[in-house]
Amino acid sequence: MGIAALQSNLLISGRLSDAQVGPACRLRAQRAFARPVCKAAAAQQDPAMGFKMMRKGIKEASADTVLTPRFYTTDFDEMERLFNLELNPHIDMAEIEACLREFRTDYNQTHFVRNDSFKSAADNVTGETRKIFIEFLERSCTAEFSGFLLYKELGRRLKKTNPAVAEIFSLMSRDEARHAGFINKAMGDFNLALDLGFLTKNRKYTFFKPKFIFYATYLSEKIGYWRYISIYRHLQRNPDCQLYPMFEYFENWCQDENRHGDFFTAILKTQPAMINDWQSRQWSKFFCLSVYVTMYLNDHQRDAFYSSLGMNTTQFNQHVIIETNNTTARIFPEVPDCETPEFWAHMDRLVVLNQKLAKIGSSDSPAWMKNLQKIPIFQQFAGELSALYFGKSIRSGTFDAQQQAQLVY
């Protein structure tokens, strides 16, 4: 599943009018993402690029931090109860069964076929650009593999209580495994790979209740769609910045992410209590902000990667977040208002604070001094996050789900 970096020279959907969108945000969203010239690569370095290695050719996974992709687990017994048709005969399966027909079609069955251009393109990516591209591949592979593990287990656990939902989760795990394998083979072009079996056994798992799993995975899939399609469209207009042929696969690839997100939309419609009370409004906004802030900070930490593709990191992120938020507003009962200058001012200040934390962390000061120096920054960080959470929001949601809730209750 991927997580993180969200929605100009990239194609603007035009769903909002100028009257609905603040002029400053509209101007930002309509600017071209492309920089005039793609950043040149540095000199060739050692293939391992200073990464820690488990063994020859196998990269040690990056350490867990607040911003790294996570592996998720949930209360599978509660999941079984939620989808049990005997306990919940009111569940409308029509939209879910329509999703199942889509997944069975497997539009991308023959899409992820590599060619000879991959290895030669990887050999031409050198220096610091090579290092940051490997980091991008690792994060992407980890996120996709995380989705595979979660969806596979859900598919296994729900077979008896709801075969249709179980089959969809199994087919989504097929998609995620395909994505993770494709990316891991790409890492092989850079003479590295991840030991995914080792990751399965040794990665820390984050527990979320089913409701929160639905919020988080919906956002992850939809933001993944907007990231992939936006990068693809940018590179189609700027072929000189096509760093590596994997990006040419993003147009069809992102449709997998979109279908996954649509399935979670259908799930949420069958669980009206998750999207129609005051608690769900607060949690919806919280998860939106968590995903948006994480992507914004992650991507700005890796500005060199987007520069290597000829992109402006800030404009790309603003576009992805705005489009993801517009999409999410169709089902979530409340979303933050991302169309105000104040929203982006808080986000930009978080970037600056995060850079200060990184600078302290990389210094030679003793650990106790680093912790002391970080305290006022953490306080400011908390203040900016609070301002975002208590800032302007938009009441939203789907009419279908609200109507269903009235019928059920």
Side-chain angles (χ1 to χ4, degrees), residues 1 72 79 208-223 261 264-265 267-268 271-288 290-292 324 328 331-334:
M1 289 183 309
Y72 293 100
M79 281 284 192
F208 273 169
K209 293 171 61 176
K211 174 169 68 173
F212 301 149
I213 285 286
F214 297 152
Y215 293 156
T217 49
Y218 170 87
L219 284 163
S220 175
E221 299 290 2
K222 286 299 184 180
I223 210 164
F264 284 110
T265 298
I267 284 180
L268 287 170
Q271 307 292 331
M274 295 185 181
I275 53 176
N276 278 316
D277 61 14
W278 70 270
Q279 289 181 324
S280 63
R281 291 198 300 272
Q282 302 310 308
W283 282 116
S284 294
K285 185 177 180 181
F286 171 82
F287 273 91
C288 284
S290 297
V291 171
Y292 301 163
T324 301
T328 302
I331 184 63
F332 278 25
E334 188 164 330

Side-chain angles (χ1 to χ4, degrees), residues 53 57-60 184-185 187-188 190-195:
M53 307 294 290
I58 304 298
K59 183 185 179 300
E60 183 177 306
N184 210 22
K185 286 183 179 179
M187 288 190 69
F190 293 82
N191 306 313
L192 293 170
L194 292 176
D195 186 336

Side-chain angles (χ1 to χ4, degrees), residues 53 99 124 136 186 217 258 269 277 287 289 304 309 313 377:
M53 307 294 290
C99 289
N124 291 328
F136 165 77
T217 49
N258 203 32
K269 287 181 180 180
D277 61 14
F287 273 91
L289 288 171
L309 299 179
T313 305
I377 300 177

